[in-house]
Amino acid sequence: MTETREAVIKVRGLRNQFGRQVVHDNLDLDVWRGEVLGIVGGSGTGKSVLLRTIVGLNKPAKGSIEVLGVDVLNAPDIERREVETRWGVAFQDGALFSSLSVLNNVMAPMREHLDLSPALMKALGELKISMVGLPPLACGKLPSELSGGMRKRAALARALALDPQIVFLDEPTAGLDPIGAAAYDELIGELQRALGLTVFMVTHDLDSLYAICDRIAVLAEKRVLVEGPIEGMTEVDHPWVQEYFTGPRARAAQVKGQATGQTGAG
C-alpha cells in the first residue's frame, strides 16, 4: 500500500434500496491506491450490491461515488466511459460470453474501447491469458470447455484487458477446491504487486483475507461497520465480527497464513 494513502474510490452517504428493502444506508468507504481491500459481511449485507453500484450496474437511491477523481454518478457519458476503461471486473460466475472463445472474450473490451489492429489485439489477448496462468491451448476454447478454476482465470484475463488501475473481484475463490483457491490467491497477489493494482475484493474466504488483503471492510447494519487490518478485527465488539474472526475457521486461516508467510499483498 502506498504511504500517501490516495483514495482512488470514495463512497459517501450511499443508500441502496430495492422497494422497501434498504440494503445500505449512509454508507461511507475509501479505497486506497495500491491496496487489496477485502469486503466481508453476513448474508444480505449487500457486498456484491456495493460492488455493482460502484461500477455502475446498480443506481443508488442516494449518495456519491468518486472513482479515480470522477463523479461516476453524474459525469458526462464520455467522461464516464473513459474512467470505465481504467477498471476491470471479474464476477463470481465469470460472466463470459458463452458463444465466444476465451481469446475473443478477452479481446471484447479492446474491440469496444481501443482502436487497434486485429493482430495487435490478438497478441495482447494472448498475453493477458498467459499472465493469469492459462496455457495457450485455452485461447481457442469456449467457456463451457473450461473447468471452474480456468473460467475464473479467463474472467480475470478479460478484467485485465485494458490495463486497468483497479480490479473488482466478486467472490473470486467461490466454488474452488482449497488448492485451486490458494493458487488463485497467489495469482492475485502476484499480479497486484507486478502491476501496481488496487484490488476491491468481495469474499467470504478467510484464507483469502489472511493471504492477500491489506485491509478489511465489514458490512453490517447497512453500512461499513468497521475497516482496518485483519489483525484488529478480533477486537471489534460486534456479534457477527466476533463469530467470523475468532471462530475455528478463522484461527485455522490465521495459522495457515502465518505458516506460509502471507500477511497481505502490500
Side-chain angles (χ1 to χ4, degrees), residues 226-240:
V226 63
E227 54 84 16
I230 196 168
E231 295 79 14
M233 293 297 134
T234 57
E235 307 300 320
V236 178
D237 185 17
H238 185 276
W240 187 89

Side-chain angles (χ1 to χ4, degrees), residues 33-265:
R33 182 179 295 278
E35 75 170 342
V36 180
L37 177 68
I39 305 293
V40 303
S43 178
T45 55
K47 301 181 293 294
S48 294
V49 171
L50 177 59
L51 183 157
R52 293 172 66 85
T53 303
I54 294 172
V55 302
L57 297 176
N58 175 68
K59 185 173 178 59
K62 187 179 179 183
S64 66
I65 301 171
E66 186 178 297
V67 182
L68 296 169
V70 175
D71 176 356
V72 294
L73 296 179
N74 299 299
D77 287 347
I78 189 169
E79 190 175 358
R80 165 77 195 199
R81 283 178 60 83
E82 191 279 329
V83 77
E84 285 177 353
T85 67
R86 298 162 69 191
W87 72 59
V89 187
F91 294 102
Q92 181 175 342
D93 59 359
L96 297 168
F97 298 114
S98 60
S99 61
L100 297 182
S101 69
V102 169
L103 179 57
N104 279 314
N105 264 283
V106 175
M107 289 167 57
M110 301 180 198
R111 289 196 179 99
E112 181 179 357
H113 295 286
L114 304 179
D115 183 19
L116 302 176
S117 70
L120 181 54
M121 281 194 290
K122 181 175 182 291
L124 289 172
E126 290 171 344
L127 174 63
K128 304 301 181 182
I129 290 167
S130 173
M131 284 170 58
V132 300
L134 288 175
L137 188 64
C139 291
K141 290 187 177 295
L142 295 173
S144 61
E145 298 174 307
L146 302 178
S147 68
M150 292 177 75
R151 280 195 300 273
K152 287 180 181 290
R153 288 175 182 254
L156 180 59
R158 188 175 66 181
L160 295 173
L162 301 179
D163 295 327
Q165 297 178 37
I166 304 171
V167 173
F168 295 89
L169 304 175
D170 191 4
E171 297 284 6
T173 58
L176 298 182
D177 62 73
I179 294 174
Y184 194 95
D185 285 340
E186 184 177 354
L187 172 64
I188 293 299
E190 289 175 352
L191 289 171
Q192 186 274 334
R193 290 187 291 272
L195 303 176
L197 297 171
T198 301
V199 180
F200 180 105
M201 182 171 67
V202 171
T203 187
H204 68 277
D205 191 331
L206 282 156
D207 287 338
S208 297
L209 297 176
Y210 277 99
I212 61 172
C213 288
D214 297 298
R215 272 196 316 141
I216 311 297
V218 179
L219 299 189
E221 300 174 11
K222 301 185 175 71
R223 59 188 174 89
V224 175
L225 179 76
V226 63
E227 54 84 16
I230 196 168
E231 295 79 14
M233 293 297 134
T234 57
E235 307 300 320
V236 178
D237 185 17
H238 185 276
W240 187 89
V241 180
Q242 281 294 310
E243 182 179 0
Y244 188 75
F245 286 102
T246 65
R249 290 185 63 197
R251 291 195 295 272
Q254 183 177 15
V255 169
K256 182 178 177 182
Q258 291 171 344
T260 57
Q262 294 172 304
T263 57

